[in-house]
């Protein structure tokens, strides 16, 4: 059996009780997700998280901690994703920056606003990562090598 997980990164970004999400069109519907994407060749996990966040939201962020490493198998295609999720703080926004083609916009939501829209989550990891952040789960970035 040829099985290979896809490595992705994501960032949980909170500002005054609201979290930054991207709105993207996937599998025929508009979904919410943390800024996230795939690790590219010759790129560190931290570099990937910073790049994906900027490309998808126009926000420069500072990574402050590792939130967790998650495994998720998409029911739609059976692909397993290993998600390395970071905590980040917003630094600077460029509202004129063109976002990735598959991103239709960004939005800031509270945890409850997100929880009230489960039909819009790209996966259950979207709320899980917010809840883990609110529970105070984190590790030092030095864990990543």
């Amino acid at each position: 059996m040829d099985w290979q997980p896809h490595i992705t990164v994501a960032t949980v970004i909170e500002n005054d009780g609201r979290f930054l999400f991207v709105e993207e069109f996937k599998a025929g519907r508009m979904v919410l997700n943390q800024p996230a994407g795939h690790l590219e060749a010759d790129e560190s996990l931290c570099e990937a998280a910073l790049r994906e966040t900027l490309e998808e939201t126009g926000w420069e962020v500072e990574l402050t901690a590792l939130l967790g490493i998650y495994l998720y198998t998409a029911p739609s295609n059976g692909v397993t994703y290993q998600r390395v999720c970071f905590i980040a703080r917003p630094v600077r926004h460029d509202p004129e920056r063109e976002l990735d083609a598959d991103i239709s916009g960004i939005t800031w939501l509270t945890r409850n606003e997100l929880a009230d829209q489960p039909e819009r989550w790209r996966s259950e990891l979207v709320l899980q990562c917010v809840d883990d952040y609110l529970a105070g789960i984190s590790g030092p970035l030095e864990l990543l090598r």
Side-chain angles (χ1 to χ4, degrees), residues 9-30:
V9 295
T11 53
V12 170
I13 303 155
E14 185 261 340
N15 190 28
D16 293 329
R18 302 183 84 74
F19 296 88
L20 180 60
F21 297 98
V22 297
E23 297 175 307
E24 55 188 341
F25 196 71
K26 293 289 179 188
R29 63 191 181 100
M30 190 65 66

Side-chain angles (χ1 to χ4, degrees), residues 37-97:
H38 291 270
L39 178 68
E40 294 182 356
D42 300 318
E43 182 176 55
S44 74
L45 291 164
C46 292
E47 289 167 342
L50 294 170
R51 175 186 52 77
E52 287 288 351
T53 301
L54 181 61
E55 290 175 355
E56 292 192 351
T57 69
W59 275 94
E60 291 179 31
V61 298
E62 176 188 357
L63 301 179
T64 59
L66 176 65
L67 180 64
I69 300 171
Y70 303 80
L71 282 179
Y72 174 76
T73 301
S76 60
N77 60 12
V79 172
T80 298
Y81 297 90
Q82 180 184 49
R83 176 189 250 214
V84 179
C85 192
F86 294 89
I87 298 169
R89 70 170 195 83
V91 174
R92 184 177 313 108
H93 185 236
D94 179 0
E96 303 301 316
R97 184 179 175 88

